């Protein structure tokens, strides 16, 4: 676990370093946005001194790193609010969107993959494979833009094409505002998960324990349910864990497309306005949740498979 924690710390340090220097290398300065385009060079220099942007780049980096190590993410340049508070307002929206998408798509994918494997080389199997491959091939930004156009112009009132409604404000409206973004965000996970489970179950049929089950006179249905499906959940769990990280990063596009005030939109807005502390905080938060998702999957994988438990404990 110590090695795993050290590896996660190194990854976060690399992410912080890349975001910091890429933001500073971008043309312009937040001082121009604060004082306006007609400001004099003296006014711009004064704002940059207040923000600490007049210091050497390595000094700024060391200051930023030291502050983050103490748990202080700083304050937004434009709102004056603490970065931690801004993140706490936006993070629940992104996590809820990801969870709703997973709860909708993963059970469907497990059912589809299991049915396809049990009916291998039949029209049912072919249909599941075609739908799964299409869900992977369709670009999310294209599908999202198409749905925004469809429900915004041609089907107004059926489902909201953009915007966010708070749960306390209108529970039903809140769920309706999640439908389209959650559908688009997790569509690709359906195909990947269903295909992984199908292939894994088909491979399980060739294993010794399944042959032993046949020799013991177990029915095909019981073998698929109790042996092949259960053992196929191991590789499927690992794949789903990777997909959670992909969905968190994909939320950047989906939230901006559907105008949701989550972490993805916060990140894009902070980069566009060159709000350095907010951009660094949002990026680090997404990276932390990406790493935590993979860690949770590894723990679940070890719990499901005792053979890797000892190896995991030693990492």
């Amino acid at each position: 676990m110590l090695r795993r924690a050290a590896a996660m710390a190194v990854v976060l340090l690399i992410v912080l370093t890349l975001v910091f220097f890429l933001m500073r290398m971008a043309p312009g300065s937040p001082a121009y946005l604060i004082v306006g385009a007609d400001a004099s060079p003296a006014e711009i220099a004064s704002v940059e001194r207040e923000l600490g942007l007049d210091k050497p780049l390595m000094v700024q980096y060391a200051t930023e790193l030291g502050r983050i190590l103490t748990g202080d993410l700083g304050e937004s340049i434009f709102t004056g609010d603490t970065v931690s508070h801004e993140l706490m307002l936006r993070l629940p929206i992104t996590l809820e969107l990801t969870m709703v998408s997973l709860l909708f798509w993963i059970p469907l994918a497990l059912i589809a993959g299991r049915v396809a494997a049990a009916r291998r080389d039949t029209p049912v199997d072919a249909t599941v494979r075609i739908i799964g491959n299409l869900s992977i091939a369709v670009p999310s930004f294209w599908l999202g833009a198409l749905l925004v156009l469809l429900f915004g112009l041609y089907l107004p009132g059926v489902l909201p094409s953009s915007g966010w409604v708070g749960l306390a404000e209108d529970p039903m409206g809140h769920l309706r505002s999640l439908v389209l973004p959650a559908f688009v965000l997790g569509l690709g996970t359906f195909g990947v998960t269903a295909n992984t489970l199908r292939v894994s179950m088909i491979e399980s049929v060739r294993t010794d324990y399944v042959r032993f089950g046949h020799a013991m006179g177990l029915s095909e249905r019981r073998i698929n349910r109790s042996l092949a499906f259960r053992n196929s959940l191991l590789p499927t769990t690992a794949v789903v864990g990777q997909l959670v990280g992909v969905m968190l990063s994909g939320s950047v596009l989906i939230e901006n497309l559907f105008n949701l005030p989550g972490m993805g939109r916060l990140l894009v807005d902070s980069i566009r306005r060159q709000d350095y502390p907010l951009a660094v905080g949002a990026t680090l938060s997404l990276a932390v949740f990406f790493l935590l998702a993979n860690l949770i999957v590894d723990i679940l994988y070890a719990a499901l498979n005792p053979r890797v438990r000892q190896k995991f404990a030693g990492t």
Side-chain angles (χ1 to χ4, degrees):
M1 286 299 293
L2 290 177
R3 289 174 56 187
R4 188 63 180 266
M8 292 173 65
V10 171
V11 171
L12 292 177
L13 179 61
I14 293 173
V15 171
L16 167 64
T17 304
L18 286 176
V19 175
F20 177 87
F21 285 103
L22 287 175
M23 289 290 294
R24 296 307 197 277
M25 289 168 60
S29 166
Y32 288 93
L33 299 177
I34 293 174
V35 299
D38 298 330
S40 65
E43 290 174 319
I44 294 173
S46 174
V47 172
E48 287 185 338
R49 277 196 301 274
E50 291 178 11
L51 298 176
L53 300 178
D54 59 325
K55 298 177 182 176
L57 200 57
M58 291 307 298
V59 174
Q60 295 182 44
Y61 175 70
T63 304
E64 182 95 3
L65 181 60
R67 190 174 65 237
I68 291 176
L69 288 176
T70 61
D72 181 11
L73 294 176
E75 299 176 350
S76 168
I77 292 176
F78 292 93
T79 66
D81 198 1
T82 62
V83 172
S84 300
H85 185 249
E86 294 267 8
L87 296 179
M88 290 304 295
L89 291 178
R90 306 296 190 97
L91 188 58
I93 296 173
T94 298
L95 293 180
E96 183 182 9
L97 175 63
T98 305
M99 289 303 299
V100 169
S101 186
L102 284 172
L103 291 175
F104 177 77
W105 282 116
I106 296 302
L108 288 178
L110 294 179
I111 294 172
R114 183 174 174 177
V115 170
R119 292 167 174 75
R120 183 184 179 187
D121 297 330
T122 65
V124 174
D125 181 24
T127 302
V128 171
R129 280 186 290 163
I130 290 173
I131 295 175
N133 291 333
L134 280 176
S135 72
I136 299 171
V138 173
S140 57
F141 67 90
W142 177 83
L143 179 62
L146 186 67
L147 292 177
V148 169
L149 183 66
L150 177 65
F151 286 91
L153 293 181
Y154 301 105
L155 297 173
V158 177
L159 286 173
S161 59
S162 67
W164 174 262
V165 179
L167 179 62
E169 179 185 350
D170 180 3
M172 187 55 66
H174 176 73
L175 292 176
R176 283 164 52 83
S177 67
L178 279 171
V179 172
L180 293 181
F183 178 84
V184 177
L185 180 62
L187 179 62
T189 63
F190 170 82
V192 176
T193 306
N195 288 342
T196 301
L197 181 63
R198 173 187 173 275
V199 171
S200 182
M201 285 187 67
I202 291 174
E203 290 178 349
S204 296
V205 172
R206 305 189 184 98
T207 57
D208 292 337
Y209 58 85
V210 171
R211 295 194 186 97
F212 181 75
H214 282 295
M216 293 294 293
L218 297 178
S219 65
E220 194 69 28
R221 182 177 181 181
R222 185 174 179 183
I223 288 174
N224 282 330
R225 184 181 66 244
S226 302
L227 298 178
F229 178 70
R230 185 176 300 173
N231 286 280
S232 299
L233 286 178
L234 288 173
T236 306
T237 301
V239 169
V240 170
Q242 297 294 327
L243 291 175
V244 172
V246 174
M247 291 173 69
L248 284 173
S249 57
S251 66
V252 175
L253 173 65
I254 300 302
E255 289 177 4
N256 282 277
L257 193 60
F258 288 95
N259 196 24
L260 304 182
M263 289 289 293
R265 187 174 165 192
L266 178 69
L267 177 61
V268 172
D269 288 344
S270 62
I271 292 175
R272 181 172 51 81
R273 295 188 303 179
Q274 293 184 300
D275 195 335
Y276 299 147
L278 201 52
V280 170
T283 306
L284 283 178
S285 298
L286 289 175
V288 166
F289 278 95
F290 181 88
L291 295 173
L292 286 178
N294 283 276
L295 179 62
I296 292 172
V297 168
D298 287 345
I299 293 173
L300 289 176
Y301 192 85
L304 291 172
N305 189 349
R307 289 179 297 182
V308 302
R309 193 176 303 157
Q310 185 176 0
K311 180 180 178 181
F312 179 79
T315 59

